[in-house]
Amino acid sequence: NDHNISFGTEESHKELGQLADTAGLMVVGSSSQKLLTPNPRTYIGSGKVAEVKNAVRALDVETVIFDDELSAGQLRNLEKAFGGDIRVCDRTALILDIFNQRAATHEAALQVALAQMEYQLPRLTKMWTHLERQAGGQVKGMGEKQIEVDKRILRTQIGVLKKELESVRKHRKQYRNRRFSVPVPVVSLVGYTNAGKSTLLNQLTGANVLAEDRLFATLDPTTRRVQMKNGKEFLLTDTVGFIQKLPTTLVAAFRATLEEISESSLLVHVVDISHPLAQQQIDAVDKVLSELDVASIPKLIVWNKVDKASDPQKIKTEADEREDVICISALNGDGLQDFCNAVQAKLRDSMVWVEALVP
Ligand code: GDP
């Protein structure tokens, strides 16, 4: 079931599949259902529950992932319906799993831990009602009390984490201010996940950041120094990729990256132009950017993966007609010099280039 009209169920499932792959799972099948509103008990209808149950039993599946956020009750009812050994998880939990695997810095780890706790808080009931059932109803009410205790503990931990995050952030700001005293402009790569940002960074700097056909190959801001043939330099920062349905509870986990964007001299929006939904992805990124208060920062648009496009020549002609668009293939290195020249020109235009300031 999917409520996102612009992307459609098929595309959304494809992305969910890529996310599952990134999390290290092997996808064996997918299924969807059109409903006016999700079933409050099981999200999908009872007939669909039976159908999925048969399928997962036949295929010996370990995990069923739902492409939306499920309530505690829905998670519990679905696990009960499918049978105890099958794990039911929702899109949010899957993304949290990936964040957890990819959190490379202390700050990112704290943010992910915080998001995980906030996700768990309304879902704590699950474990305790389960125990009550096991005890044959003997301890009725005890579970409820325990849930309250657990919730209190979790809320305290959340408070502690938030304080720690605040202090880590302050620290980073100081560090960044120091870095900014070095007169090298900062260029941030932004874009939809899988657009090719890490590949571009790799190609330009020889930096050993992850570049693989997986979502969220980069979680933390990764900055590299790029030196051009004319000796001029800029810092290139990779940011975590946008996804189409980022659960609101995970927005905070992106903050370090987002804050970094707002302090850059230039934004480079990397687009996978070979993607059938390239325009929707561009819109999704632009929407997030417009919420980030970065409108005053100059932007360069990079159409990547031209080699993969059905009509590369047409794409190149279109890009030539637009002065803010550069066509590249990060994978085979096509257009990288044009890209560097365009970055340099944009930086010069925006007067942040060192020589424009120092006569
Ligand atoms: P990121 O999530 O934006 O950092 O994307 P990645 O750099 O990890 O790239 C995602 C996938 O797209 C990888 O499999 C890359 O090899 C592939 N890719 C990146 N750039 C190109 C390109 O110019 N052409 C083609 N064909 N594939 C590319």
Side-chain angles (χ1 to χ4, degrees), residues 285-313:
V285 173
D286 281 343
K287 185 167 173 280
V288 176
L289 288 182
S290 72
E291 290 160 4
L292 282 180
D293 199 23
V294 291
S296 59
I297 303 174
K299 200 167 74 179
L300 181 68
I301 299 161
V302 170
W303 287 353
N304 187 33
K305 306 197 191 181
V306 253
D307 60 285
K308 219 177 142 191
S310 56
D311 190 349
Q313 201 44 55

Side-chain angles (χ1 to χ4, degrees), residues 18 43 61 99 107 114 146 170-171 193 207 247 285 289 326:
Q18 282 176 298
Y43 188 74
V61 161
F99 281 6
E107 183 177 353
L114 182 63
Q146 194 55 50
K170 244 189 231 151
H171 220 82
T193 190
V285 173
L289 288 182
I326 295 293

Side-chain angles (χ1 to χ4, degrees), residues 44 56 60 70 80 98 120 123 130 144 149 151 175 192 194 222 239 241 258 265-266 311 324 328:
I44 47 176
V56 297
D60 204 15
L70 301 178
K80 208 160 72 181
I98 296 167
Q120 278 165 7
R123 291 173 179 77
H130 186 68
E144 232 162 274
V149 173
K151 279 195 173 165
Y175 166 74
Y192 211 80
N194 234 37
T222 316
T239 63
L258 305 186
S265 312
L266 175 67
D311 190 349
D324 59 338
I328 66 161

Side-chain angles (χ1 to χ4, degrees), residues 210-224:
L210 298 170
E212 42 186 322
D213 200 359
R214 296 188 157 189
L215 304 183
F216 297 115
T218 324
L219 176 66
D220 282 294
T222 316
T223 305
R224 293 289 182 274

